[in-house]
Amino acid sequence: MNSFRNRLVMSLVVLLMLVQLVTAIFVLNAAHREQSVQQEKSLDVGINVFREVLANRSQQLSQSLSVLSADFGFKRAIATGENETILSVLENHGSRIGADAAVLLSPQGELVFSSLPGIVESDVNALFKLATDSSTSGIGQTLAFDNGSYQFVMQPVKAPTLIAWVGMGFMLDKQVAQQAKAITGVDISFISRDRNGRYAIQSTLGATAQAYIVPRMQRLSGLEILAAEGFPEHFLSFAVRLNDRASDLWAVLHLSNLKWEENFLQLRNTLLSIFAVTLGLSLIVTMWLSGSLVRPVNTLVQFARQIGQGEKPSPIHKAPVELQVLADTLTVMRDNIESREQDLIYQSSHDSLTGLFNRFAAKRHLAAEGQQLSGTLVLMDLKNFRHINDTIGFANADTLLVLFARRLEQLSPAPDFLARLDGDAFLLLYNGGIAEEELHRALDILESPYTIRNTDISVKIRTGTLSLAEHGGSVGALLRRVEIALMQACQEDARIVAYRSGEDEKYQRELSIISELRRSVEQGHFYLVYQPKVDIQNGFCSGAEALIRWEHPEMGQIRPDEFIMLAESTGNIDLISQWVLTEAINQLAVWQQKGMEIKLAVNLSAHDLVNESLPAIIDQMLKEHNLPARYLAIEVTEGAVMKDPLVAVGVLQRFRDLGISIAIDDFGTGHSSLAYLKMLPVNEVKIDRSFVKDMLTNDHDAMIVQTSIALTHSLGFTVTAEGVEEQETVDLLKTQGCDIVQGYVYSRPLEAMEFTQWVNQFNQLTEQQAGHHESIP
């Protein structure tokens, strides 16, 4: 099947088969459509004739009843109540016209006489409704009774006023169906349903066909709209509703389509025979033609196979011009492929800019060394290379990297393996190790100025080293660890940093924390605790600071300073800030409902302070809970404000305009606190715990705190002291004029329920003590 000859033969045969198949489909579809049209026309004729038969029978009944209702003797018998005469007249008249049922009703619709067996009140009501309905007067209608369905006509008997209603009807039974079939040429089924919900069928169809119809009566309503096949099989059927006001009286006309199906099958078999003969002849002709067409191609295949095996075959002679050109092209292609293979092998393992080995080659080399790998792995990068790149341009920066790579190749001692991993990261392997002094001398050489376009460019290098004897492992682990050492050198701004045990685990932990942040927020692993803020001048607690906690199901309790720093560095701090604000405002709403007036402080990061839409978001959240803005306070550090002072001050001013209090946290630890404090729209200043904790033993710290309180008050701000753990410190702060104290001296941070209980108890105790002091003379 893979040979060209076989494919050519198969293609031609398949093409011919498709052409014949499409032709056959079109012919058969056209024949089927034509037959369907003819069947529908024949069935339409039968339906029209059937409707005419029913109309003629109804007219016959109507005329006969007109004669009967006008008979003087019949009127007199009704008027005088001669029941025997009435019975005789109805029986004689009905037998003359072949009626199967006769009824006589009083003017009020009461039954006087009926030849219908088992007639009940509902049947009498149906007859009376037919008699009094002007739309059916003299026309008649089909009614269903317990013993079958009848085509009934009702007429009034007047002398001259109405004295009775007389009616007669023909039963729609198999005999009537046979008579209608003889006229219409189609099979007819009369279907009705008795009072017990059982269907009865009177049909010209055979017993098997009738048995097929009975369980499928639900299809009748669909057949009333459009004729369909399969009711029963081999028939095209259409349903006629015999009574527009009843859903249980039907006549179904069946036109046999066996003749059309036989014609269709005969046409199909004829087409299949033609198809088979044509296919056989075409296969013979195609096999003969393919041999002469494929022979030159086989010669070219052999030529190409020899080239693929690395041989140099003889040129093809006496071949068509096209194949000769193809053979020559294959020869040139073979030579080009050999050249490209060498280039690809080189490019896959070398850096295109510097010519050094690349990351792929480095991994392959380290993996090949395996257990024999020893010595020191060194990873270098150029400090602030992005800034250098922006300053001197991409082309000059590339030149710098090339010059740097050439110096690396000339180092002494020379590295046993040298590669450029990516960007400005270069990996060196010293199988025998390298002393730190030697590495410093090498860095001195590498940091010497580089002359580019008559300009000296100076660089600084940061280096991470890994001792393979102490910290061996997989290739991935080795590269990760030396990258961790380099990252540490960049963070510490150190020239050389060696990998230390535990750094990898710390790195993996940080990755785990980063990856778990979002899922933990969604799964409810975070929660808030609240540390009371006590007004020491009046002894009441009316405020708290919301602090976030993370209880991970596998890593346990994770410190806030650990995961918040990682969230800020990875851009996930928005997620945490949004969660904290939502939880804090929800808790404020709960406290307000309980009658607790607590001002709750929430910490915002430097990233939050440059989000100019944040004030509007918080304002909307407060409005949704009907919370006044005075219940919420925002705490920011001076360092956060200094990230982008202009934007941060604008955001803080919007908070201030909304009525939200603003506090400067960790006051005194920045470099420009006094210079920037006066320009910040704040309400409160929090003195850092580093100054408060040693006030009792360090006069210098006590003086700083006292000065800070005085300065803050002079600017009109409230002062809060953080980290207070002793009552003596509280007393000293009170004498110095401090407003609020926060720390373990009063309480550790508490969960919401514990905090609520603590505040109530603390404030009640303060009120009791105040009342006691007032009662003392």
Side-chain angles (χ1 to χ4, degrees):
M1 287 302 298
N2 291 328
S3 70
F4 177 70
R5 182 182 182 185
N6 290 343
R7 290 187 177 185
L8 180 61
V9 171
M10 288 301 299
S11 298
L12 294 175
V13 171
V14 169
L15 178 61
L16 181 61
M17 289 175 63
L18 288 175
V19 172
Q20 290 184 325
L21 180 61
V22 171
T23 302
I25 290 174
F26 275 110
V27 171
L28 291 175
N29 284 341
H32 187 268
R33 284 196 300 271
E34 181 63 26
Q35 291 178 4
S36 297
V37 170
Q38 294 298 327
Q39 291 179 52
E40 291 174 0
K41 287 182 178 180
S42 298
L43 183 59
D44 288 341
V45 171
I47 293 170
N48 293 332
V49 173
F50 174 73
R51 293 182 189 275
E52 188 65 29
V53 168
L54 291 181
N56 290 338
R57 286 168 60 87
S58 179
Q59 186 177 7
Q60 180 185 355
L61 274 174
S62 179
Q63 291 173 352
S64 177
L65 280 177
S66 296
V67 173
L68 177 61
S69 61
D71 184 85
F72 179 76
F74 182 62
K75 292 180 180 180
R76 185 180 61 185
I78 294 173
T80 58
E82 298 176 10
N83 291 335
E84 293 182 358
T85 302
I86 294 171
L87 176 61
S88 175
V89 173
L90 288 175
E91 289 178 348
N92 292 335
H93 196 80
S95 63
R96 283 199 303 271
I97 65 173
D100 297 305
V103 296
L104 184 68
L105 302 179
S106 70
Q108 292 76 27
E110 297 173 349
L111 182 65
V112 177
F113 168 79
S114 171
S115 64
L116 288 169
I119 189 168
V120 296
E121 183 179 354
S122 59
D123 298 334
V124 175
N125 292 336
L127 289 169
F128 183 66
K129 186 175 182 180
L130 175 62
T132 57
D133 191 344
S134 60
S135 63
T136 58
S137 177
I139 299 175
Q141 198 174 71
T142 303
L143 300 176
F145 300 99
D146 203 38
N147 67 321
S149 56
Y150 292 80
Q151 188 179 4
F152 241 94
V153 174
M154 298 290 293
Q155 286 194 3
V157 180
K158 298 180 180 180
T161 59
L162 179 67
I163 60 174
W165 294 96
V166 64
M168 288 189 179
F170 295 116
M171 186 175 186
L172 300 180
D173 55 7
K174 185 175 182 180
Q175 181 180 356
V176 176
Q178 291 287 2
Q179 294 172 356
K181 178 181 178 181
I183 299 173
T184 61
V186 297
D187 287 283
I188 297 175
S189 299
F190 293 114
I191 300 172
S192 62
R193 186 167 58 179
D194 61 17
R195 287 189 291 271
N196 296 322
R198 296 188 298 268
Y199 281 97
I201 181 170
Q202 301 288 335
S203 177
T204 60
L205 296 173
T208 303
Q210 294 184 38
Y212 179 88
I213 291 175
V214 172
R216 297 169 176 81
M217 293 299 182
Q218 66 274 13
R219 291 187 56 188
L220 288 174
S221 58
L223 295 175
E224 182 184 13
I225 301 172
L226 183 66
E229 297 181 353
F231 191 80
E233 293 183 340
H234 307 301
F235 284 91
L236 181 67
S237 302
F238 185 82
V240 177
R241 193 184 296 270
L242 296 177
N243 188 333
D244 294 337
R245 300 177 182 178
S247 60
D248 53 1
L249 289 173
W250 298 88
V252 184
L253 284 74
H254 314 278
L255 178 63
S256 174
N257 57 10
L258 282 175
K259 180 179 67 175
W260 283 279
E261 289 180 354
E262 291 173 357
N263 293 337
F264 183 79
L265 290 175
Q266 183 178 359
L267 176 61
R268 186 192 65 182
N269 294 335
T270 302
L271 290 175
L272 286 175
S273 300
I274 296 172
F275 179 78
V277 172
T278 305
L279 184 62
L281 291 175
S282 64
L283 186 60
I284 295 172
V285 174
T286 302
M287 293 292 292
W288 176 73
L289 288 174
S290 64
S292 59
L293 294 175
V294 171
R295 192 175 298 109
V297 177
N298 287 335
T299 303
L300 182 62
V301 169
Q302 294 298 326
F303 183 83
R305 182 178 291 113
Q306 289 176 319
I307 288 180
Q309 294 173 351
E311 302 176 6
K312 294 187 176 181
S314 302
I316 297 177
H317 298 291
K318 297 181 180 181
V321 176
E322 294 84 355
L323 297 184
Q324 185 66 54
V325 172
L326 186 56
D328 295 341
T329 304
L330 288 174
T331 302
V332 175
M333 187 184 301
R334 176 197 61 196
D335 298 337
N336 292 338
I337 288 174
E338 289 178 354
S339 175
R340 287 198 189 105
E341 283 181 349
Q342 297 301 321
D343 291 341
L344 289 174
I345 292 174
Y346 179 85
Q347 292 174 8
S348 66
S349 59
H350 288 76
D351 175 49
S352 60
L353 178 63
T354 62
L356 301 178
F357 286 111
N358 57 17
R359 180 181 287 271
F360 171 76
K363 289 183 176 181
R364 185 174 59 189
H365 179 80
L366 295 175
E369 291 291 325
Q371 298 295 330
Q372 288 73 36
L373 192 62
S374 61
T376 303
L377 205 58
V378 179
L379 184 62
M380 299 179 179
D381 78 350
L382 279 65
K383 181 181 178 182
N384 298 327
F385 180 72
R386 179 176 296 180
H387 176 70
I388 296 173
N389 204 356
D390 295 337
T391 302
I392 67 176
F394 291 105
N396 292 330
D398 287 346
T399 302
L400 175 61
L401 292 175
V402 173
L403 295 176
F404 185 77
R406 300 291 80 83
R407 286 194 189 179
L408 287 173
E409 292 174 330
Q410 298 168 9
L411 288 178
S412 179
D416 297 285
F417 181 81
L418 176 61
R420 180 192 179 200
L421 298 188
D422 50 50
D424 60 331
F426 294 85
L427 183 70
L428 294 78
L429 172 63
Y430 291 91
N431 290 331
I434 182 171
E436 186 171 345
E437 295 78 7
E438 293 178 314
L439 187 55
H440 274 290
R441 286 195 295 270
L443 293 177
D444 291 338
I445 296 173
L446 294 172
E447 289 180 344
S448 298
Y450 295 83
T451 303
I452 300 175
R453 294 183 179 272
N454 299 321
T455 302
D456 289 342
I457 305 297
S458 298
V459 298
K460 295 295 182 183
I461 300 171
R462 294 295 171 260
T463 306
T465 65
L466 177 71
S467 173
L468 297 174
E470 297 179 20
H471 308 291
S474 65
V475 173
L478 295 178
L479 292 177
R480 185 175 65 250
R481 289 168 181 171
V482 75
E483 286 173 351
I484 291 172
L486 176 60
M487 182 172 59
Q488 196 70 26
C490 294
Q491 292 175 352
E492 298 175 3
D493 197 21
R495 198 180 198 193
I496 301 173
V497 171
Y499 174 79
R500 298 182 289 270
S501 297
E503 291 293 331
D504 195 15
E505 290 75 8
K506 177 186 176 183
Y507 178 73
Q508 295 292 349
R509 174 178 171 82
E510 290 177 350
L511 288 180
S512 299
I513 290 174
I514 293 169
S515 65
E516 289 291 317
L517 265 173
R518 183 173 296 275
R519 186 170 65 177
S520 287
V521 170
E522 295 171 352
Q523 296 182 354
H525 298 159
F526 286 93
Y527 63 95
L528 289 182
V529 293
Y530 307 90
Q531 186 167 40
K533 297 172 69 174
V534 177
D535 186 336
I536 58 175
Q537 300 300 327
N538 60 29
F540 280 91
C541 175
S542 58
E545 180 180 0
L547 302 171
I548 189 171
R549 296 292 184 264
W550 184 2
E551 183 68 33
H552 193 275
E554 297 174 1
M555 292 185 286
Q557 191 78 30
I558 302 175
R559 301 190 318 276
D561 56 350
E562 183 179 12
F563 68 79
I564 288 177
M565 178 191 67
L566 293 174
E568 289 179 337
S569 62
T570 57
N572 287 313
I573 193 64
D574 279 344
L575 186 70
I576 293 179
S577 297
Q578 184 65 33
W579 183 88
V580 170
L581 285 168
T582 301
E583 290 295 312
I585 292 175
N586 288 341
Q587 186 58 53
L588 272 175
V590 172
W591 284 335
Q592 187 188 44
Q593 292 173 359
K594 293 181 178 179
M596 293 176 58
E597 294 191 357
I598 298 294
K599 176 182 284 189
L600 185 59
V602 176
N603 290 280
L604 293 186
S605 68
H607 186 78
D608 297 321
L609 290 184
V610 295
N611 182 3
E612 296 183 284
S613 63
L614 186 59
I617 294 173
I618 295 178
D619 183 44
Q620 181 63 32
M621 294 170 67
L622 291 171
K623 289 178 179 177
E624 289 175 357
H625 291 82
N626 295 318
L627 279 173
R630 67 176 183 274
Y631 288 132
L632 183 65
I634 299 299
E635 291 191 6
V636 295
T637 63
E638 180 190 355
V641 176
M642 295 305 299
K643 292 289 185 182
D644 192 341
L646 292 178
V647 176
V649 170
V651 171
L652 291 176
Q653 186 60 54
R654 292 193 190 97
F655 282 130
R656 181 72 176 268
D657 294 341
L658 291 173
I660 298 173
S661 298
I662 301 170
I664 294 296
D665 200 6
D666 300 336
F667 176 74
T669 59
H671 299 289
S672 307
S673 298
L674 298 179
Y676 279 91
L677 185 59
K678 62 181 181 180
M679 64 174 283
L680 297 178
V682 300
N683 307 88
E684 178 184 352
V685 172
K686 301 183 72 175
I687 300 175
D688 187 66
R689 68 185 66 240
S690 61
F691 299 107
V692 175
K693 64 185 180 68
D694 295 327
M695 284 181 62
L696 298 176
T697 57
N698 189 317
D699 294 338
H700 182 69
D701 285 350
M703 181 60 68
I704 291 176
V705 171
Q706 185 176 7
T707 304
S708 298
I709 293 172
L711 172 65
T712 303
H713 280 162
S714 68
L715 294 174
F717 304 149
T718 301
V719 179
T720 298
E722 294 183 291
V724 179
E725 298 182 0
E726 298 173 343
Q727 184 59 44
E728 291 83 354
T729 306
V730 175
D731 297 337
L732 179 58
L733 288 168
K734 186 174 182 180
T735 60
Q736 293 179 348
C738 181
D739 302 298
I740 298 171
V741 163
Q742 178 180 343
Y744 275 55
V745 65
Y746 289 112
S747 174
R748 60 178 175 79
L750 302 170
E751 294 191 36
M753 185 176 297
E754 295 176 315
F755 176 82
T756 303
Q757 295 173 353
W758 185 92
V759 168
N760 291 332
Q761 293 173 0
F762 182 84
N763 288 341
Q764 287 175 5
L765 181 60
T766 300
E767 289 177 354
Q768 291 173 2
Q769 291 175 348
H772 175 70
H773 290 309
E774 289 177 0
S775 64
I776 297 176

